[in-house]
Amino acid sequence: NAINLTDGIDGLSTSVTTIILTCLTVIGIIFGVKEIVIMGVSLIGICLAFLLFNLHPAKVFMGDTGSLFLGGAVSVMAIYLKLPILLLIIAIIPIIETISVIIQVAYFKKTGKRIFKMAPIHHHFELSGWRENKVVMVFSIITLIASIIGLQIV
């Protein structure tokens, strides 16, 4: 569901997920796991093709069905590689998005006040003055750096 929560800005979840999928596919290549390589390359191609129509301003939207599928695909790939803990590093943006929602809901129920202007956190940055393109770029760069770190660990 973390990738589903990351969806909401044109191109955000697709960009972040494509980088995560690329990292897992590279690991599949390193380990020689053909199933992961085939699945990863296919999903990367699908995401890049979708991204052509989903970048700001989006002409096509992913919705819950697509984002939940991508989250499941990322999870399946990590589990098949026997590296689910690696997702704590390479999927840091979806994790932060999820934690921001959990914190916002728990704090609001307890105090009636909000910590973030809006959750998930990408909307907080939007309401703080960041353009959609900036949020997508910054979150994608963070995911890329996290994926490079993840590759170094493996």
Side-chain angles (χ1 to χ4, degrees):
N1 196 40
I3 291 177
N4 184 31
L5 293 172
T6 306
D7 195 19
I9 290 181
D10 297 345
L12 180 61
S13 65
T14 310
S15 299
V16 167
T17 304
T18 302
I19 296 167
I20 295 167
L21 289 168
T22 302
C23 179
L24 292 169
T25 302
V26 168
I27 293 168
I29 292 168
I30 293 168
F31 289 173
V33 183
K34 289 183 231 177
E35 298 86 357
I36 292 298
V37 175
I38 292 167
M39 182 177 178
V41 169
S42 300
L43 289 170
I44 292 165
I46 290 165
C47 286
L48 290 175
F50 176 77
L51 200 52
L52 291 173
F53 301 98
N54 188 244
L55 286 176
H56 185 72
K59 296 164 200 69
V60 177
F61 300 99
M62 184 180 306
D64 291 346
T65 305
S67 58
L68 290 170
F69 167 76
L70 289 177
V74 165
S75 300
V76 165
M77 289 174 71
I79 291 167
Y80 195 85
L81 289 167
K82 297 180 178 77
L83 296 170
I85 301 299
L86 184 65
L87 291 179
L88 293 173
I89 297 169
I90 67 173
I92 190 68
I93 291 298
I95 289 169
I96 290 171
E97 294 274 19
T98 303
I99 290 171
S100 72
V101 171
I102 293 168
I103 290 170
Q104 183 87 321
V105 170
Y107 189 76
F108 186 79
K109 282 184 177 183
K110 187 173 185 177
T111 66
K113 298 177 184 175
R114 301 178 192 280
I115 292 176
F116 306 109
K117 293 178 181 179
M118 188 175 179
I121 200 161
H122 63 261
H123 290 307
H124 171 80
F125 289 117
E126 260 190 307
L127 293 174
S128 296
W130 287 24
R131 293 183 339 270
E132 282 189 20
N133 293 339
K134 181 177 180 177
V135 174
V136 172
M137 191 180 315
V138 169
F139 282 30
S140 295
I141 290 169
I142 291 168
T143 303
L144 181 61
I145 292 168
S147 293
I148 291 168
I149 291 168
L151 284 171
Q152 299 301 314
I153 292 172
V154 172

